[in-house]
Amino acid sequence: ARSSMWGGRFSGGPAAIMEQINASIDFDRRLYRQDIAGSKAHCRMLIETGIIDRADGEAILNGLDQVLQEIVEGRFVFKTALEDIHMNVESRLREIIGPAAGRLHTARSRNDQVATDFRLWTRDAIDDLDRAAAALQQALIAQAEAHADAVMPGFTHLQSAQPVTFGHHMLAYVEMLGRDRGRLRDARARLNECPLGSAALAGTGFPIDRAMTAAALGFDRPTANSLDAVSDRDFAIELLAAASLCVMHLSRLAEEMVIWTSAQFGFVRLSDGFSTGSSIMPQKRNPDAAELIRAKTGRVYGNLTGLLTVMKGLPLAYSKDMQEDKEPVFETVDTLMLCLAAMTGMVSEMTVNRDRLAAAAGAGFSTATDIADWLVRALGMPFRDAHHVTGAIVRLAEDRGVGLEDLSLADLQSVEPRITAGLRLDPTGSAASRASQGGTAPDRVRAACSDARARFLTP
Ligand code: ARG
């Protein structure tokens, strides 16, 4: 049967396949709460402005409450023939309260309705993501505090570079997540304008009060241009972009977890709760959650590219193409929430093997820069010359198959006679010496932990 919402000019019903491609109810039912809140705000405004009479308006408001209750309690029957959440709700409202239901859609279109619903949903999702990202920061900071002084190898090119502290490494991710949260906050501030009252595309001739509906729904103000308000989805794309950056950061941490938990590294051990076994190899403790976070990044990037592509080249104003905006956003939010929660669990329950970290910290001639720095400081050598001399010392150690700390003073003096016993080489001292602002020294890291708590975890 033709929709009673717009069937007036039709005599034949839709083809079954038409109904199938057109319907969005299977996914946009997730907007029910926002849809009903938007309708109630619109209805109250219609009453206050005298556009509909109070008795009809009260009947609509009560009916909408009943619809909400039916959906929440799982008693609501969603119908594909009614296309989307908006028409499913309105049709049920008519069953409950009768013809007065038809007055709700005065001075409104599904175009401003869906734009409003979706902004409301996205706003809530941003708040959820912000809380989840803060929880991960909290877990990372706790590990950073526990291991502010645990010396480990720092890498560039995944080659031993200079000793760093485990706490410093954790706090690097805290900063990334802080920027991710900032991007979400920025997107939230920009999206918080209310499209309601833009109607189909041109605004409406009814004497509506847009400031009233905007305020009732917690928006900062009504949108300024009706064509823009019903036809842009940049707010959704901003969320997908911010989510893409965040999951990229999670994927890098996940990759480090995979590396660190390998037998060859052994820096970190995941809890039983976040390890999986093998059906053939009994020794296995696989980091599946980390691998899946790394992999789910693909969906999140795909959804960003997908929605950008849906929107490109659409003439103003609304086109049905835009109904394809919801699934990528829902999937991305679900995916990122899951990844943030899984990473939070992994990080808070992991055990850090400080002995393995310490043993690895000196490997790969990681204190070579300290020799060069010492030559500059103690002998006044230009850094480039010091670099050259140190290179010769590294070559000597490498030829002998020993570490830098195994060379005797006489060995060092065979390369540079002015070297004295004042040159001490050990990874712990090396890390402790890097006390510049933002550096890896344990004292710096402890201060950075409380600074991070203040910046990111106090409301
Ligand atoms: N389900 C539609 C969507 O999500 C609602 C808007 C429909 N508007 C229209 N003119 N057909 O985009």
Side-chain angles (χ1 to χ4, degrees):
R2 273 298 169 187
S3 163
S4 60
M5 310 291 164
W6 45 260
R9 81 190 299 284
F10 294 86
S11 44
I17 202 74
M18 176 62 210
E19 200 170 278
Q20 198 189 325
I21 194 173
N22 206 32
S24 53
I25 189 61
D26 284 345
F27 50 85
D28 69 13
R29 61 173 69 184
R30 274 182 82 163
L31 299 174
Y32 73 88
R33 215 172 262 289
Q34 292 75 19
D35 193 67
I36 290 172
S39 286
K40 288 179 71 176
H42 181 65
C43 180
R44 285 202 188 92
M45 183 277 291
L46 293 177
I47 299 171
E48 295 311 319
T49 51
I51 296 171
I52 66 174
D53 73 47
R54 191 165 292 274
D56 285 344
E58 303 283 358
I60 290 169
L61 292 173
N62 291 332
L64 285 169
D65 283 338
Q66 190 176 325
V67 174
L68 178 62
Q69 202 175 335
E70 289 179 7
I71 297 176
V72 169
E73 290 170 6
R75 291 183 284 123
F76 191 96
V77 185
F78 292 100
K79 299 190 182 112
T80 310
L82 291 167
E83 266 186 62
D84 57 24
I85 184 63
H86 324 294
M87 298 207 288
N88 268 271
V89 169
E90 192 183 319
S91 164
R92 180 68 189 131
L93 180 67
R94 181 184 301 267
E95 287 172 9
I96 298 170
I97 71 165
R103 299 198 186 277
L104 171 60
H105 214 52
T106 312
R108 188 176 73 169
S109 157
R110 274 189 292 157
N111 295 348
D112 59 339
Q113 190 179 354
V114 73
T116 304
D117 293 2
F118 201 30
R119 282 186 193 230
L120 287 171
W121 193 92
T122 303
R123 196 175 72 184
D124 289 346
I126 285 174
D127 293 343
D128 291 343
L129 289 169
D130 184 67
R131 275 188 290 275
L136 177 53
Q137 286 180 306
Q138 154 84 48
L140 289 162
I141 293 171
Q143 290 288 2
E145 285 164 344
H147 303 292
D149 59 349
V151 177
M152 68 179 281
F155 299 93
T156 61
H157 315 265
L158 199 57
Q159 307 277 317
S160 293
Q162 295 172 350
V164 296
T165 51
F166 192 81
H168 196 54
H169 201 117
M170 293 291 100
L171 290 183
Y173 286 101
V174 172
E175 292 299 319
M176 296 176 221
L177 287 160
R179 291 191 297 278
D180 293 333
R181 292 176 65 197
R183 273 181 283 270
L184 288 168
R185 257 199 313 280
D186 292 347
R188 188 194 199 282
R190 250 188 304 280
L191 76 69
N192 205 29
E193 297 183 339
C194 186
L196 214 52
S198 302
L201 74 167
T204 175
F206 290 98
I208 58 172
D209 181 348
R210 295 193 60 205
M212 184 179 165
T213 41
L217 295 168
F219 287 108
D220 296 327
R221 64 191 80 85
T223 50
N225 181 294
S226 62
L227 290 168
D228 172 49
V230 296
S231 69
D232 209 343
R233 293 295 183 266
D234 58 356
F235 66 91
I237 295 172
E238 273 197 74
L239 169 59
L240 297 181
S244 294
L245 286 166
C246 183
V247 82
M248 177 269 287
H249 290 146
L250 296 186
S251 179
R252 295 185 72 174
L253 179 52
E255 168 69 5
E256 300 210 285
M257 292 287 193
V258 171
I259 294 171
W260 290 347
T261 55
S262 68
Q264 289 69 21
F265 274 75
F267 289 178
V268 155
R269 181 181 169 94
L270 296 178
S271 67
D272 283 1
F274 285 94
S275 303
T276 50
S278 158
S279 52
I280 173 170
M281 297 164 284
Q283 83 281 14
K284 286 286 207 172
R285 295 178 68 85
N286 291 329
D288 288 33
E291 295 165 86
L292 286 164
I293 290 168
R294 197 172 57 182
K296 282 180 191 293
T297 300
R299 299 176 186 241
V300 176
Y301 292 0
N303 288 336
L304 171 62
T305 312
L307 188 54
L308 281 168
T309 309
V310 166
M311 294 305 294
K312 77 171 280 294
L314 288 187
L316 302 188
Y318 179 86
S319 295
K320 197 60 174 259
D321 307 53
M322 290 159 62
Q323 181 165 282
E324 290 286 307
D325 59 358
K326 292 170 204 65
E327 287 166 291
V329 170
F330 293 157
E331 189 193 36
T332 292
V333 171
D334 292 345
T335 301
L336 189 52
M337 285 297 287
L338 180 61
C339 290
L340 284 165
M343 187 59 89
T344 302
M346 259 188 296
V347 168
S348 35
E349 293 183 21
M350 71 186 179
T351 314
V352 179
N353 191 331
R354 298 171 61 107
D355 295 338
R356 290 286 296 210
L357 291 179
F365 313 113
S366 68
T367 51
T369 315
D370 298 283
I371 299 180
D373 287 350
W374 187 89
L375 295 172
V376 169
R377 267 198 300 261
L379 304 183
M381 223 182 247
F383 183 77
R384 286 296 164 215
D385 298 344
H387 186 286
H388 194 80
V389 169
T390 307
I393 295 173
V394 169
R395 185 147 31 91
L396 178 64
E398 191 171 40
D399 289 346
R400 295 227 189 126
V402 299
L404 291 172
E405 58 284 354
D406 302 320
L407 294 174
S408 67
L409 182 58
D411 294 333
L412 297 171
Q413 286 170 339
S414 74
V415 178
E416 169 51 65
R418 289 176 295 164
I419 293 179
T420 68
L423 171 55
R424 320 203 66 88
L425 290 176
D426 77 292
T428 302
S430 168
S433 74
R434 297 212 158 75
S436 56
Q437 188 184 356
T440 200
D443 286 346
R444 275 287 179 190
V445 172
R446 279 185 278 267
C449 285
S450 45
D451 176 65
R453 279 192 184 279
R455 280 187 295 139
F456 300 125
L457 301 179
T458 46

